[in-house]
Amino acid sequence: MSVVIALSFGSCRRAAERAAQKIHIDALERIEPQGLTGAEAVLRITNGTGYKLEIQRAYFTLYYAGQRVGTIRLHERIEVGKRTVESIATRWKISIDNPIALLLAGRALQADDPSQITVSCLIEGRGGPTRINIERQKMPLSDFLNIFGTTLQDVKKYLF
């Protein structure tokens, strides 16, 4: 009996891995500031699975030279229909923990030197019966931007 359970867990894990390959963020299409503590971002998301995708929580923490700059938190959940590519307007809450580190990170971006900027993220949701839990700690900014099909130049265009 335990072998059957163990095999079914392996099968579920492989199914989850195959589903994850069919879900991705294709592009960050637009960012618009909403006052000092918010932003709206339009994301183009592909869901190639047979299940509705729901992102319930997402947190992104920005660091400069190891110092926490601030956090961007998803304000309301995101839903993407099954087997679709959708552009979805998302709302985000921004909190700044260290204004000096933010200033230094901004200068580094303007100088095309993001080498000391890292991002941590936590994303939680569901894809049909499967829970989605993605966590990354202090990944380089360039790697983070590649996930969203965005370049440093795109970020500079949105911010400066």
Side-chain angles (χ1 to χ4, degrees):
M1 183 66 149
S2 62
V3 173
V4 172
I5 293 172
L7 288 174
S8 68
F9 283 143
S11 176
C12 288
R13 183 171 31 103
R14 283 190 297 279
E17 289 169 357
R18 283 192 305 272
Q21 293 173 351
K22 296 178 182 181
I23 299 169
H24 43 88
I25 298 172
D26 300 317
L28 173 61
E29 295 179 343
R30 180 174 42 89
I31 297 176
E32 289 184 18
Q34 304 288 314
L36 296 174
T37 62
E40 180 177 280
V42 177
L43 303 172
R44 187 172 56 240
I45 302 173
T46 296
N47 178 8
T49 71
Y51 300 105
K52 177 178 79 171
L53 173 65
E54 182 178 311
I55 304 298
Q56 297 159 340
R57 295 187 330 158
Y59 296 92
F60 300 95
T61 304
L62 183 70
Y63 296 88
Y64 179 76
Q67 298 293 311
R68 185 178 169 141
V69 173
T71 304
I72 302 168
R73 177 180 54 87
L74 183 64
H75 185 59
E76 51 196 30
R77 71 182 189 187
I78 301 169
E79 290 186 3
V80 182
K82 60 184 177 180
R83 294 187 181 93
T84 62
V85 177
E86 295 184 37
S87 291
I88 299 176
T90 60
R91 293 181 36 208
W92 299 84
K93 175 133 175 79
I94 301 168
S95 62
I96 304 301
D97 298 328
N98 187 335
I100 300 299
L102 177 62
L103 177 66
L104 294 172
R107 285 185 181 169
L109 287 175
Q110 286 180 320
D112 291 329
D113 181 19
S115 62
Q116 294 201 48
I117 301 173
T118 57
V119 179
S120 293
C121 69
L122 172 65
I123 302 169
E124 297 176 341
R126 294 195 74 77
T130 306
R131 300 241 4 112
I132 298 168
N133 292 306
I134 301 168
E135 185 173 359
R136 303 285 186 270
Q137 293 296 318
K138 295 186 178 178
M139 67 172 45
L141 179 63
S142 57
D143 292 349
F144 177 76
L145 294 176
N146 286 337
I147 293 170
F148 295 94
T150 303
T151 66
L152 182 60
Q153 299 310 315
D154 293 333
V155 171
K156 287 171 62 173
K157 178 180 69 176
Y158 292 130
L159 297 177
F160 304 112

